[in-house]
Amino acid sequence: MKTWIDQLRSTRRISDEALLELLACTDADITEYLHQQAHEVAVQQFGHYIYIRGLIEISNCCKNDCYYCGIRKSNTKVDRYRLTTEQILECCEQGYNLGFRTFVMQGGEDRAQDAEWLITTVKEIRQRYPECAITLSLGEMPREVYQQLYDAGANRFLLRHETYDENHYYQLHPSEMSFANRIASLKTLKEIGFQTGTGIMVGSPGQTLAHLIKDVRFIEQLQPQMIGIGPFIPHKDTPFGNQQAGSIVLTLKLISIFRLMHPSALIPSTTALASLSSDGRERGILAGGNVVMPNLSPVNQRKNYSLYNNKAALGAESAEGLNRLASQLKKIGYAISYERGDFQS
Ligand code: 5AD
């Protein structure tokens, strides 16, 4: 197995058979070796630095009804909010003063924050913060709108494909949604020139190791600049409320595999990982992650952007907690990078 890991590191390739065995392997020694190799590659690429992205959750209103997600349209218990352009600009100002040079606007697919409003908002941020990166994580849109947002000054877009198995996709999403459009949207984003991120939840209901192999192959083919991998965590007011959370061990293995296959990719140690385990963020970094995304949303709204139970939004997961993040990173030999941190091949 170690030979396969060595080969994966040197060639960036792995056969389906080896991948399956690696994902299924429970030998702690092998897993540790995989993480070590991935960690070394991350350090070669980025040094002992972690990029930070300020996450602004701009709306928890959503027209979609994904079975896993706490802000799905059918969840009547959510106190819905949407930030105004002014509120978003205040978040950016606070973030800028704290040292953030990437703002990530994430939200549900909210019809009220329409293309025109979004474009105006992006232009405003672009004008005030010419040297900052603007990342959007706002779901599927027509090509023209993606293009207009790019032209307005957005640089990056996050859109997880969630699963590359079509049947599994419809176990996670109602039939009104479209697997084909999800995949097409990702290709469009790349064509337009966005630094594009995709990814999956690990351990989502119905997911098998064979599905994960398909995800790895899709990502190999798409060559995204960013890869987001977090464990599935149930939300009590969703159809998956009684399902088990995804495995941290498997999540970490996938982070390492992606790091070895895509050395220069930006791979976050995700909030979901940090939410599921108190040392999740550190373990994600030691497995090859190089980005964290502290929460920069208005503090009084954070509880309402609950995608899953016990989502971390305070302490080292918050923009105000950067000092705490820095001291936690220091313990594992890392420091925060205040660079904008674009993808570099
Ligand atoms: N558990 C873990 N991750 C989730 N997401 C949404 N709901 C959950 C959940 N219950 C992730 C999805 C989405 C991203 C913004 O959050 O992968 O793409």
Side-chain angles (χ1 to χ4, degrees):
M1 199 96 74
K2 287 190 179 168
T3 317
W4 285 338
I5 296 170
D6 293 341
Q7 273 176 16
L8 174 56
R9 179 170 175 176
S10 59
T11 66
R12 307 180 184 182
R13 297 175 72 93
I14 184 167
S15 70
D16 282 355
E17 297 69 33
L19 191 52
L20 182 63
E21 282 210 36
L22 201 53
L23 292 174
C25 167
T26 53
D27 183 331
D29 214 48
I30 301 290
T31 313
E32 194 40 48
Y33 187 73
L34 173 68
H35 295 329
Q36 262 170 24
Q37 298 306 307
H39 182 228
E40 277 180 32
V41 169
V43 170
Q44 270 174 8
Q45 290 287 326
F46 305 102
H48 286 91
Y49 286 98
I50 298 298
Y51 291 130
I52 50 167
R53 319 305 197 188
L55 181 65
I56 308 171
E57 295 154 337
I58 66 169
S59 168
N60 69 353
C61 304
C62 193
K63 68 178 167 65
N64 294 330
D65 220 9
C66 310
Y67 303 135
Y68 47 84
C69 183
I71 63 167
R72 65 198 299 267
K73 128 180 114 176
S74 294
N75 184 2
T76 54
K77 295 191 181 165
V78 180
D79 199 355
R80 304 283 173 176
Y81 73 87
R82 61 177 62 94
L83 302 186
T84 62
T85 303
E86 290 66 35
Q87 287 174 308
I88 294 169
L89 289 166
E90 280 168 28
C91 295
C92 293
E93 188 183 349
Q94 192 202 345
Y96 188 88
N97 292 335
L98 288 165
F100 287 90
R101 292 296 177 268
T102 295
F103 305 121
V104 183
M105 287 204 272
Q106 185 177 91
E109 293 195 13
D110 181 357
R111 286 202 185 87
Q113 287 178 339
D114 60 7
E116 198 189 320
W117 177 87
L118 274 172
I119 291 161
T120 311
T121 304
V122 168
K123 279 188 183 159
E124 191 66 40
I125 301 175
R126 173 50 61 236
Q127 201 190 342
R128 290 199 197 184
Y129 302 100
E131 81 274 35
C132 293
I134 302 175
T135 305
L136 305 178
S137 176
L138 299 166
E140 294 169 34
M141 299 173 191
R143 175 186 280 266
E144 308 75 71
V145 179
Y146 282 154
Q147 183 68 58
Q148 287 170 311
L149 287 167
Y150 186 80
D151 296 340
N155 314 94
R156 309 181 187 148
F157 207 106
L158 304 174
L159 182 71
R160 290 188 180 171
H161 66 287
E162 315 294 359
T163 174
Y164 197 65
D165 182 274
E166 185 157 4
N167 285 324
H168 186 224
Y169 189 87
Y170 292 108
Q171 285 176 257
L172 302 179
H173 305 95
S175 57
E176 296 80 57
M177 291 182 70
S178 159
F179 171 71
N181 194 56
R182 191 74 164 189
I183 302 304
S185 299
L186 281 162
K187 294 187 177 149
T188 303
L189 288 165
K190 273 208 87 182
E191 280 166 19
I192 289 173
F194 279 104
Q195 291 173 49
T196 302
T198 195
I200 55 164
M201 293 174 290
V202 177
S204 58
Q207 185 183 68
T208 64
L209 295 184
H211 294 156
L212 290 174
I213 291 175
K214 285 187 165 186
D215 293 318
V216 169
R217 296 303 173 214
F218 168 63
I219 288 175
E220 203 174 23
Q221 191 201 330
L222 182 71
Q223 292 286 319
Q225 285 81 17
M226 302 170 283
I227 307 172
I229 308 294
F232 162 75
I233 304 175
H235 184 293
K236 61 179 175 33
D237 301 317
T238 64
F240 291 160
N242 294 323
Q243 302 283 324
Q244 282 212 338
S247 147
I248 294 180
V249 170
L250 189 54
T251 303
L252 294 170
K253 260 198 238 178
L254 282 157
I255 290 177
S256 293
I257 290 167
F258 283 119
R259 171 58 65 213
L260 293 175
M261 294 179 89
H262 307 269
S264 51
L266 298 156
I267 303 181
S269 185
T270 51
T271 303
L273 198 51
S275 300
L276 203 52
S277 158
S278 57
D279 60 354
R281 186 184 321 95
E282 288 78 2
R283 288 168 76 189
I285 291 166
L286 296 173
N290 75 311
V291 174
V292 295
M293 299 170 68
N295 198 308
L296 194 50
S297 306
V299 176
N300 64 331
Q301 293 296 4
R302 285 185 201 169
K303 62 179 183 310
N304 295 324
Y305 198 84
S306 171
L307 304 183
Y308 42 83
N309 292 338
N310 306 314
K311 178 169 159 281
L314 298 171
E317 279 301 315
S318 69
E320 326 78 79
L322 270 194
N323 291 338
R324 192 180 311 189
L325 176 66
S327 68
Q328 290 182 2
L329 291 179
K330 198 170 169 199
K331 288 187 194 141
I332 54 166
Y334 277 84
I336 292 172
S337 165
Y338 288 92
E339 300 295 307
R340 165 172 152 147
D342 283 293
F343 175 83
Q344 266 147 0
S345 56

